[in-house]
Amino acid sequence: MSVSESEFFATGMSLPPDVRKRAALRLLESVDPDEAFAVAAEEWLRTGAVAAYDALQAEPSRAIPADEVRARFEAKWAARP
């Protein structure tokens, strides 16, 4: 089955935003892995890291020991598809 670019785009735009974001990064990675990493890292720095920093500043008791953070990252990495 062949799908035109416009059909592919229309179908993709009908997906929920979080699914579109993951799909877009996977497509970008298939063409330029370094660019995909840079885009994902920049997005995380602008959103996830800022939110985490603000939350920690507001409530320092939420701090997590570095060893636990590393273990969580390693578990997440191991579980990736």
Side-chain angles (χ1 to χ4, degrees):
M1 178 176 135
S2 180
V3 177
S4 72
E5 182 179 336
S6 60
E7 291 171 320
F8 178 80
F9 182 77
T11 301
M13 291 305 293
S14 70
L15 297 169
D18 60 319
V19 175
R20 286 197 319 262
K21 184 176 178 181
R22 287 192 309 270
L25 286 172
R26 287 181 69 185
L27 287 168
L28 180 58
E29 188 175 56
S30 74
V31 187
D32 189 348
D34 292 335
E35 179 65 18
F37 177 81
V39 168
E42 183 70 24
E43 175 69 17
W44 178 79
L45 286 170
R46 292 184 183 278
T47 58
V50 171
Y53 178 80
D54 290 345
L56 186 58
Q57 290 294 96
E59 192 176 339
S61 65
R62 295 182 57 189
I64 301 169
D67 291 342
E68 186 177 335
V69 172
R70 177 175 290 280
R72 288 182 186 182
F73 280 137
E74 288 172 353
K76 189 173 183 178
W77 181 260
R80 74 188 188 287

